[in-house]
Amino acid sequence: MLSTPSRTELSQRTISDEIADRQALERDAAASAGRGLEAHPRRDFAPYRSTVLRHPTHELVRADPEEIELVSPAFGHTDVAAEENDLTIQHAGEPLGERIIVTGRVLDGDGRPVRNQLVEIWQANASGRYVHKRDQHPAPLDPNFTGVGRIITGDDGSYRLTTIKPGAYPWKNHRNAWRPAHIHFSFFGSAFTQRLITQMYFPGDPLFALDPIYQSIVDPAARERLVAAYDHDVSEPEWAIGYRWDVVLTGPRSTWTEPEDGDHA
Amino acid sequence: MPEQRLLGQTPSQTVGPFFGYALPYVGGPDVRAPWHSDAIRLHGTVYDGAGDPIPDAIVEIWGADAAGRPSTERGALDRDPHGFAGFGRAAVDRDGHYSFTTIKPGALRAGSAPYVLVTVFARGVLQHLFTRAYFADEPAANAVDPLLTSVDPARRSTLVAEPDAHGSYRFDIRLQGEGETVFLDYGTEL
């Protein structure tokens, strides 16, 4: 070799090998420590090249959440218009693509509904193109689709949106890199420490195994939780294909109490 | 051992680079309207491990009012400009710079120093990062704050916003490397 391959010359095989090696290391480390695999992605997941210079190298500092961290901003129905949950009616005409309904509940780790909280979504159109000036993927923009929605969860923590199934798109992490189709979701819980931004995927996508962003979650059961389920009861005749996707937000292990002297060691 | 939860939690994923048409909103950086006499500016640049500014980060803040109380005012998105909802969101510009107007919060309780909670999202950041911006002009309170005093003294200054003009504080965020910001773990279930 005359030089190290540039990022665009890296093959999928190289990236896939890196994913397999890293996941094996994580499994071994968890097994020898007698613990399970963590649900969240590894921050320093090198097969996803953008993490390399963007993950902290120091261990995070343990903080006892104070009151401001254990409450959330007060969103409400006045923040969001009811029709913002339908991404197919934002323009004069019908967007192109497969119309879908996505519904589910937002819960905390004890199964309690996360009520009256803001859910924001954004996504590419059916061709895999975002309405974003830095997205130069040569796929058509759809004049009838922007791909932005907002919802306030109901009393049972539920949300429901109507949209278009997004397309896969290329993203230059390596040669021939394609993201699995996904919808970005942003959630607020009842505490700010529950804040979550994630991506919902579609069942059976052949790109899962190849995608370093999806595979940055080492635990296969945790990865699966990002995949919506087809739900025939959500599908509407002559209208839309339905998916169900429930979301569980984290919480602190214990609620905040007055710290005692010396418990910050 | 973490206590057993009923349900497995949903993993985080990166905000990606293409949130710019979705997450920023009108008034997002103005937690307190700039024409209020108590408004302060809280601003800075987000840097990567090479020391280069990140052009595709988004920063959120969440802070108490001047008396140290979290706001319960609804409409954190569609905000009354005369009010204070405590929450703000600002995308960085092409030079990695963000800027909020807000108020300087009061301390949440006796024996702790005032701070604004700061959350950072970016392409390449698979799980958002929490930190706190304390204020350099609160030396007495900072000297006894339980979190600040628990941090390695060499890194403590990364949690402190420095006054750089009247009513303006600079809080740079370094994701990695020289002067890496102290990021926080709230002991949430993993």
Side-chain angles (χ1 to χ4, degrees):
Chain A
M1 289 296 284
L2 292 173
S3 60
T4 20
S6 75
R7 174 167 161 160
T8 50
E9 289 167 321
L10 280 167
S11 68
Q12 179 69 54
R13 180 175 296 272
T14 303
I15 294 295
S16 293
D17 287 349
E18 286 183 26
I19 291 171
D21 289 350
R22 178 61 190 279
Q23 294 191 344
L25 277 174
E26 292 285 341
R27 282 194 299 270
D28 291 349
S32 57
R35 61 170 167 82
L37 294 164
E38 290 172 4
H40 283 299
R42 311 321 304 148
R43 286 190 165 89
D44 58 334
F45 201 73
Y48 173 23
R49 288 295 189 259
S50 297
T51 69
V52 172
L53 292 172
R54 296 185 174 194
H55 71 269
T57 55
H58 290 271
E59 200 170 333
L60 303 195
V61 169
R62 177 68 191 265
D64 287 319
E66 295 196 89
E67 192 190 352
I68 189 72
E69 288 143 334
L70 291 174
V71 293
S72 231
F75 299 108
H77 292 282
T78 57
D79 282 309
V80 173
E83 61 271 19
E84 288 187 72
N85 71 353
D86 190 341
L87 285 71
T88 68
I89 58 167
Q90 296 171 350
H91 299 276
E94 293 277 337
L96 294 171
E98 178 185 338
R99 190 184 294 106
I100 60 172
I101 294 162
V102 181
T103 189
R105 295 174 77 204
V106 185
L107 304 169
D108 70 14
D110 295 320
R112 291 178 296 228
V114 173
R115 300 185 170 94
N116 215 31
Q117 285 299 332
L118 178 67
V119 179
E120 296 161 283
I121 76 152
W122 69 105
Q123 63 170 98
N125 69 22
S127 304
R129 179 85 183 260
Y130 285 92
V131 184
H132 189 290
K133 54 184 178 289
R134 279 204 293 264
D135 183 359
Q136 293 300 316
H137 172 206
L141 286 169
D142 183 342
N144 291 317
F145 191 74
T146 304
V148 177
R150 300 192 297 191
I151 304 144
I152 299 289
T153 56
D155 277 345
D156 57 353
S158 66
Y159 73 92
R160 179 186 174 90
L161 65 104
T162 304
T163 185
I164 295 292
K165 188 176 178 188
Y169 59 83
W171 64 298
K172 294 184 176 151
N173 184 69
H174 52 281
R175 184 175 150 71
N176 211 11
W178 291 83
R179 291 297 332 278
H182 60 275
I183 300 177
H184 294 269
F185 275 80
S186 165
F187 298 96
F188 289 85
S190 51
F192 205 74
T193 55
Q194 293 179 309
R195 185 84 179 86
L196 178 72
I197 288 184
T198 189
Q199 301 176 19
M200 186 209 91
Y201 298 89
F202 292 87
D205 195 316
L207 295 167
F208 286 154
L210 308 177
D211 179 42
I213 293 182
Y214 181 70
Q215 295 294 334
S216 65
I217 303 155
V218 174
D219 180 359
R223 281 200 297 273
E224 278 288 310
R225 294 200 285 270
L226 293 185
V227 183
Y230 172 70
D231 187 333
H232 201 65
D233 291 332
V234 177
S235 291
E236 291 196 5
E238 318 304 321
W239 179 248
I241 287 287
Y243 293 93
R244 184 169 295 281
W245 186 53
D246 292 334
V247 174
V248 178
L249 304 181
T250 183
R253 285 195 191 110
S254 55
T255 49
W256 181 79
T257 50
E258 197 74 33
E260 288 164 38
D261 285 339
D263 72 349
H264 292 281
Chain B
M1 278 302 268
E3 68 192 77
Q4 192 65 42
R5 292 281 177 180
L6 182 66
L7 301 171
Q9 90 182 222
T10 305
S12 168
Q13 292 271 265
T14 176
V15 72
F18 299 138
F19 53 76
Y21 66 98
L23 291 178
Y25 59 94
V26 174
D30 294 334
V31 185
R32 183 64 155 170
W35 40 261
H36 280 290
S37 59
D38 59 356
I40 62 162
R41 182 182 191 218
L42 180 67
H43 72 115
T45 298
V46 184
Y47 295 98
D48 71 12
D52 293 325
I54 289 179
D56 48 12
I58 187 160
V59 178
E60 289 179 350
I61 63 172
W62 174 223
D65 67 14
R69 288 181 304 249
S71 169
T72 54
E73 187 171 327
R74 290 210 184 276
L77 284 185
D78 192 7
R79 195 179 48 78
D80 174 356
H82 290 268
F84 174 75
F87 175 76
R89 177 185 286 168
V92 299
D93 63 18
R94 287 188 197 88
D95 295 323
H97 186 256
Y98 71 89
S99 182
F100 291 97
T101 56
T102 184
I103 61 172
K104 190 171 167 185
L108 287 149
R109 55 196 166 86
S112 78
Y115 63 84
V116 174
L117 175 62
V118 178
T119 317
V120 188
F121 304 86
R123 170 176 61 88
V125 175
L126 281 160
Q127 193 181 351
H128 60 268
L129 291 160
F130 286 121
T131 186
R132 293 177 182 175
Y134 287 86
F135 295 89
D137 52 5
E138 297 284 341
N142 290 347
V144 296
D145 181 84
L147 176 77
L148 274 179
T149 53
S150 76
V151 170
D152 175 358
R155 302 187 66 208
R156 221 168 273 173
S157 67
T158 71
L159 291 169
V160 181
E162 291 286 339
D164 66 343
H166 179 69
S168 175
Y169 296 85
R170 183 163 189 107
F171 185 68
D172 290 336
I173 298 165
R174 294 173 195 277
L175 299 188
Q176 192 185 85
E178 184 97 21
E180 180 178 306
T181 299
V182 168
F183 296 106
L184 304 179
D185 164 18
Y186 289 107
T188 49
E189 191 96 20
L190 285 178

